[in-house]
Amino acid sequence: MGDTGAAPPSGAPPAFDPSLPWRRSRSVALRPEPFGALVYHFGNRKLSFLKSKTLVAVVEALAEHPSALATLTACGVPEAQRPAYVKALADLARSAMIEARTSLPPTPREPAEGPGRQADQPETP
């Protein structure tokens, strides 16, 4: 029997749960390539290859959706291919290329508040 309920060792990334919100790590840069993308983590100096343009789109869109599963749906990943994408995302989480997100995704419907303008004040031309 395994210790599946145990917390990860100190400093280790949390186990990947596709029902939770995720984002590309702030220390990660994506460089588009004809095959997909190169992913480089400036903190741990790891380099990974994303060999699918769809996976690149998923990683780039993670912060815009309430969960990794919602991101797969939004990016049009077919149901039959989702286990492979979840595995790829879990691998990226293990290498700290993506990280758990605690903030909500941005909501485009909310008007931006500018300096000196209250949210409940109408915008003047």
Side-chain angles (χ1 to χ4, degrees), residues 47-91:
L47 177 68
S48 294
F49 299 89
L50 301 183
K51 298 180 183 178
S52 157
K53 290 184 181 190
T54 303
L55 182 56
V56 174
V58 167
V59 170
E60 289 179 329
L62 281 171
E64 300 168 13
H65 300 282
S67 70
L69 293 174
T71 306
L72 295 176
T73 300
C75 290
V77 176
E79 201 63 47
Q81 293 178 4
R82 289 190 187 178
Y85 279 82
V86 168
K87 181 187 178 316
L89 290 172
D91 291 343

Side-chain angles (χ1 to χ4, degrees), residues 5-77:
S10 180
F16 181 73
D17 181 346
S19 67
L20 296 177
W22 292 84
R23 69 174 169 215
R24 182 176 67 183
S25 174
R26 294 177 217 192
S27 300
V28 167
L30 265 170
R31 185 175 91 184
E33 294 289 339
F35 57 81
L38 292 174
V39 185
Y40 182 73
H41 193 295
F42 289 96
N44 60 26
R45 301 175 67 181
K46 289 184 180 181
L47 177 68
S48 294
F49 299 89
L50 301 183
K51 298 180 183 178
S52 157
K53 290 184 181 190
T54 303
L55 182 56
V56 174
V58 167
V59 170
E60 289 179 329
L62 281 171
E64 300 168 13
H65 300 282
S67 70
L69 293 174
T71 306
L72 295 176
T73 300
C75 290
V77 176

